């Protein structure tokens, strides 16, 4: 039961930090034990799609689950949270196939459901779900080169994540804020606002380094490496090659 909850919320400390192979194994083990008609089955199945697409690189295995997710979405009485999770994974599949318009529609439907759920159940988890949904929508706008819309979405992601961090400073909320600074910084860099981009990526680096010192996992090490790379890219764009090399 505890593993199920960790997978459903993508818990940073107990699930997200695990190796890709172990994460897939946990999802498949849970699916073998859950009745297919249950909402929890839909949640875990959707999470498995995301692991295949973005973590293990086994995209064909993720694509193969598309028709199953579409049928799941038609189930009567599927709770809004499970619907949102399935819509997100369907959007992830379209995104991976570079069908950005279709992906954006799925992501927007998911965000709308989550915002409606938040108005009824304003818990920290539903607020985080909404924040992450803004991040996904923003990523699609960025891929479509609509940087104004992308920045607005990522700033919403950052705003909600910072509020959650202030209320509950956990590794999860700190990582969410770090990721949000990274996303906002990427868009500023795409807009050639290098001063703002550097400030954002330095915040990303600062938080990531703090998390690494507390929890030295492969994920935290990778995120520090990514942060250094982002900062170095901006120094190079500013022609500050000494700082870029450092």
């Amino acid at each position: 039961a505890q593993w199920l909850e960790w997978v459903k919320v993508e818990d940073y400390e107990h699930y997200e930090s695990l190796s890709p192979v172990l994460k897939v194994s946990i999802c498949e083990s849970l699916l073998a034990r859950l009745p297919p008609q249950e909402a929890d089955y839909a949640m875990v199945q959707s999470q498995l799609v995301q692991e295949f697409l973005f973590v293990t690189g086994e995209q064909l295995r993720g694509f193969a689950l598309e028709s199953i997710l579409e049928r799941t979405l038609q189930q009567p009485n599927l709770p809004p949270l499970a619907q949102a999770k399935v819509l997100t994974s369907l959007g992830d599949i379209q995104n991976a196939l570079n069908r950005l318009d279709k992906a954006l529609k799925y992501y927007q439907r998911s965000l709308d459901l989550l915002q409606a759920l938040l108005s009824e159940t304003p818990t920290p988890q539903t607020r985080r779900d909404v924040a992450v949904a803004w991040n996904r929508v923003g990523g699609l706008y960025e891929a479509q080169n609509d940087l104004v819309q992308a920045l607005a979405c990522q700033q919403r992601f950052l705003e909600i994540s910072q509020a959650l961090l202030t209320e509950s400073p956990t590794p999860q909320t700190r990582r969410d804020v770090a990721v949000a600074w990274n996303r906002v910084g990427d868009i500023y860099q795409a807009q050639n606002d290098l001063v703002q981009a550097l400030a954002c990526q330095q915040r990303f680096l600062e938080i990531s380094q703090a998390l690494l010192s507390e929890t030295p996992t492969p994920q935290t090490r990778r995120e520090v490496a990514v942060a250094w790379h982002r900062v170095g890219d901006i120094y190079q764009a500013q022609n500050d090659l000494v700082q870029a090399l450092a």
Side-chain angles (χ1 to χ4, degrees):
Q2 186 61 73
W3 275 112
L4 176 61
E5 292 306 311
W6 286 337
V7 170
K8 284 164 58 179
V9 302
E10 301 173 60
D11 185 270
Y12 175 68
E13 293 178 87
H14 301 99
Y15 177 73
E16 281 297 300
S17 60
L18 300 176
S19 71
V21 172
L22 187 52
K23 289 163 76 174
V24 167
S25 177
I26 290 168
C27 287
E28 290 179 332
S29 178
L30 288 170
L31 289 174
R33 291 166 170 78
L34 289 168
Q37 69 274 15
E38 284 194 2
D40 285 342
Y41 187 94
M43 298 276 285
V44 176
Q45 190 173 63
S46 299
Q47 184 61 39
L48 183 60
V49 170
Q50 293 176 29
E51 302 303 342
F52 286 146
L53 295 180
F54 303 122
V55 181
T56 70
E58 299 172 281
Q59 289 195 327
L60 292 178
R61 294 183 72 183
F63 298 157
L65 295 173
E66 181 179 13
S67 60
I68 298 174
L69 291 176
E70 288 173 341
R71 288 197 299 273
T72 300
L73 197 59
Q74 302 308 314
Q75 288 181 6
N77 303 318
L78 190 66
L81 184 58
Q83 291 182 49
K85 186 79 170 177
V86 172
L87 286 166
T88 294
S89 290
L90 286 168
D92 289 339
I93 291 171
Q94 298 304 316
N95 192 3
L97 291 167
N98 203 35
R99 299 169 183 165
L100 301 185
D101 288 339
K102 289 188 71 174
L104 182 58
K105 289 177 182 177
Y106 279 124
Y107 286 165
Q108 188 63 59
R109 286 174 64 190
S110 179
L111 174 59
D112 292 345
L113 274 172
L114 290 168
Q115 286 185 307
L117 184 61
L118 177 62
S119 67
E120 300 169 4
T121 314
T123 66
Q125 184 58 50
T126 52
R127 290 165 65 197
R128 180 177 184 269
D129 289 339
V130 168
V132 172
W134 277 114
N135 173 35
R136 288 196 181 91
V137 172
L140 255 295
Y141 279 124
E142 185 178 4
Q144 293 176 323
N145 205 36
D146 187 341
L147 299 181
V148 173
Q149 287 277 23
L151 183 59
C153 292
Q154 299 297 7
Q155 285 174 330
R156 288 290 292 130
F157 174 36
L158 177 60
E159 175 188 332
I160 299 169
S161 298
Q162 285 182 313
L164 289 169
L165 173 61
T166 299
E167 296 166 16
S168 178
T170 66
Q172 176 78 76
T173 55
R174 291 165 66 197
R175 180 178 180 269
D176 286 345
V177 169
V179 171
W181 279 117
N182 174 35
R183 298 289 191 265
V184 172
D186 283 347
I187 297 170
Y188 277 129
Q189 186 171 0
Q191 292 176 325
N192 205 35
D193 188 341
L194 299 182
V195 173
Q196 287 275 27
L198 181 60
C200 293
Q201 299 297 5
Q202 286 174 329
R203 291 289 292 129
F204 172 39
L205 175 60
E206 175 187 328
I207 300 169
S208 297
Q209 285 180 313
L211 286 169
L212 174 61
S213 67
E214 297 166 12
T215 312
T217 66
Q219 182 176 359
T220 53
R221 288 197 293 270
R222 187 188 71 82
E223 288 173 351
V224 167
V226 169
W228 276 116
H229 180 69
R230 292 288 199 279
V231 170
D233 274 353
I234 297 169
Y235 278 128
Q236 186 172 359
Q238 292 176 325
N239 206 32
D240 188 340
L241 300 184
V242 173
Q243 287 281 18
L245 182 61

